[in-house]
Amino acid sequence: MSLKDGKLVRGIREVWTGVSGEGRLHEREHRASMDALNLFFGAIVGVNFANQSTMDVKDYAVLLFLTACLIALILIISNTSRRIWSAIQLIIIFGVYYLLTMVEKIVGEVDQKLVVTLAVWAGAALLFEFTPRDPDPEES
């Protein structure tokens, strides 16, 4: 077996492909990225909700329901074959969320950090989902 056919050369090629920009995320890497994104932002949203302790119970329930619907759409983005339609829905629903919570103020004082957190999460999910990726390599 020559060095050219060895695992070392294949490993160097794989690293070079990733470093040179020719490589894109594989499906499993994409899934891991989305899982990490969802876990991180889910925790941040939880912290934001913990800070809503002075909010009236009815307002809290409405905010919780609206936020749950928005988060459901964020999670759907990475699990649907209708990505474009889901992205359009997410953008529309986030606009409605912003309008209801920040402009119309249908609920008591909403921490703007919650809205910013949700906007960054939605934007990152869209970015990850619409970034080109490759199928997973064959196991060898």
Side-chain angles (χ1 to χ4, degrees):
M1 179 166 103
S2 70
L3 182 61
K4 187 175 181 179
D5 298 329
K7 289 182 181 182
L8 178 63
V9 172
R10 280 187 294 190
I12 291 171
R13 280 191 194 129
E14 185 176 327
V15 169
W16 175 250
T17 299
V19 171
S20 68
E22 295 173 17
R24 302 185 302 186
L25 287 179
H26 291 119
E27 288 294 331
R28 283 183 288 184
E29 294 166 335
H30 170 262
R31 170 67 33 222
S33 298
M34 288 302 292
D35 288 348
L37 185 73
N38 293 336
L39 180 66
F40 174 76
F41 279 104
I44 299 299
V45 168
V47 168
N48 277 285
F49 265 94
N51 291 334
Q52 301 290 340
S53 61
T54 60
M55 184 180 281
D56 178 66
V57 173
K58 289 178 186 175
D59 287 346
Y60 183 83
V62 170
L63 182 63
L64 192 60
F65 175 77
L66 292 172
T67 303
C69 292
L70 183 61
I71 290 172
L73 280 171
I74 291 171
L75 297 176
I76 286 171
I77 283 288
S78 62
N79 293 298
T80 186
S81 59
R82 300 175 300 185
R83 296 181 323 160
I84 293 175
W85 174 238
S86 294
I88 291 168
Q89 286 178 314
L90 177 59
I91 291 167
I92 291 169
I93 295 301
F94 186 79
V96 170
Y97 185 91
Y98 179 80
L99 178 72
L100 292 176
T101 59
M102 302 308 290
V103 177
E104 294 295 323
K105 299 197 182 282
I106 66 160
V107 293
E109 293 298 312
V110 176
D111 187 352
Q112 290 182 351
K113 292 177 184 171
L114 174 63
V115 177
V116 169
T117 298
L118 292 167
V120 171
W121 186 3
L126 289 171
L127 178 67
F128 270 104
E129 192 52 38
F130 286 96
T131 298
R133 54 188 178 267
D134 293 329
D136 289 331
E138 298 280 329
E139 294 289 327
S140 50

